[in-house]
Amino acid sequence: METLKEQAGIYAASYVQSGMVVGLGTGSTAYYFVQELGRRVQEEGLEIVGVTTSHRTAEQAKSLGIPLKSIDEVEQVDVTVDGADEVDPALNGIKGGGGALLMEKVVALPTKEYIWVVDESKLVQHLGAFPLPVEVVRYGAQQVFRRFEQAGYKPQFRMDGDQYYRTDMENYIIDLQLGQIADPLALAQELDQLVGVVEHGLFNQMVERVIVAGQDGIQELTAK
């Protein structure tokens, strides 16, 4: 599996050219994308500016010598490459297993070409088997949790040892055990309107291209 992730990450780096502002994703597959960009910066003189989607990715990029700016310092992002936890046939996806969903979505929105890199195990017919992360403010988090319980969403606070997990933005994450999401667009709209929710891990109709590494090699899926 790690070999497939590495293949996908390296392949995705071929979409990056000198002069670009590049969104650097978070996660096990995006890690290899960032590693390949670092190699190209050092060995090929690739000139880019990176915008990171997590503190973890920022540390990785700095260690590789990739110049960085914050999302507020750039007008737009030329290409962002990130991972996904699930991808359905319409290229809707669940992201946020690594806890970076808010920053990932903030960087994705001003991106001209948004690409996901995944291994073939992430392709599903219906979203929802992977727990849906919902980032919530700490104040009133138990109230939001109870609303999810009442809705039958089987919520669980994400934990870090015996403490609530905190995101890079110092919020909590509630993971919803949904099993199957019948209508990702409707659920996203419902979560968007819920007071206390900062962001959720449904990335619907956002990605133009998904690079999939499988046993038969690399394939590209594009939005219809």
Side-chain angles (χ1 to χ4, degrees):
M1 192 65 71
E2 283 303 309
T3 300
L4 295 180
K5 292 177 179 180
E6 185 174 8
Q7 290 172 356
I10 291 173
Y11 182 92
S14 67
Y15 282 93
V16 176
Q17 301 173 1
S18 279
M20 284 185 167
V21 176
V22 184
L24 307 178
T26 297
S28 57
T29 307
Y31 168 87
Y32 292 109
F33 166 73
V34 178
Q35 286 294 115
E36 175 64 7
L37 289 187
R39 184 197 67 77
R40 290 179 60 191
V41 166
Q42 297 297 330
E43 297 180 11
E44 300 175 8
L46 180 71
E47 295 183 356
I48 58 171
V49 172
V51 176
T52 64
T53 55
S54 68
H55 295 342
R56 185 166 65 253
T57 302
E59 291 172 2
Q60 180 191 7
K62 288 175 184 175
S63 73
L64 296 169
I66 299 174
L68 299 178
K69 286 187 177 180
S70 76
I71 189 63
D72 289 327
E73 294 177 296
V74 300
E75 288 293 322
Q76 63 182 13
V77 179
D78 294 296
V79 61
T80 293
V81 174
D82 209 342
D85 298 302
E86 283 187 340
V87 183
D88 73 10
L91 303 192
N92 300 317
I94 288 179
K95 290 173 52 54
L101 60 155
L102 174 58
M103 292 174 70
E104 288 172 340
K105 201 170 278 190
V106 167
V107 172
L109 287 176
T111 294
K112 289 195 289 186
E113 184 168 19
Y114 186 38
I115 300 172
W116 287 342
V117 288
V118 299
D119 64 78
E120 60 188 355
S121 70
K122 304 299 175 61
L123 301 182
V124 298
Q125 283 301 116
H126 302 282
L127 302 178
F130 190 92
L132 176 64
V134 182
E135 188 162 343
V136 300
V137 294
R138 286 181 284 159
Y139 182 79
Q142 295 290 348
Q143 292 286 341
V144 178
F145 185 90
R146 283 194 281 272
R147 290 192 200 116
F148 288 152
E149 281 188 318
Q150 292 162 4
Y153 293 161
K154 299 179 181 177
Q156 293 181 354
F157 275 103
R158 190 174 297 186
M159 304 300 292
D160 182 9
D162 59 354
Q163 303 290 321
Y164 287 149
Y165 173 87
R166 291 194 188 187
T167 69
D168 286 351
M169 297 293 103
E170 294 294 323
N171 298 311
Y172 293 155
I173 287 182
I174 299 174
D175 289 308
L176 307 183
Q177 319 293 321
L178 300 171
Q180 183 171 311
I181 299 172
D183 189 339
L185 301 182
L187 180 57
Q189 186 174 25
E190 175 189 333
L191 295 173
D192 286 338
Q193 295 173 347
L194 186 59
V195 174
V197 170
V198 180
E199 194 50 81
H200 55 77
L202 283 169
F203 284 58
N204 296 324
Q205 301 178 333
M206 293 181 66
V207 71
E208 292 88 23
R209 188 184 309 274
V210 179
I211 296 168
V212 184
Q215 298 298 335
D216 297 328
I218 301 285
Q219 64 169 319
E220 291 192 19
L221 308 178
T222 54
K224 297 180 176 62

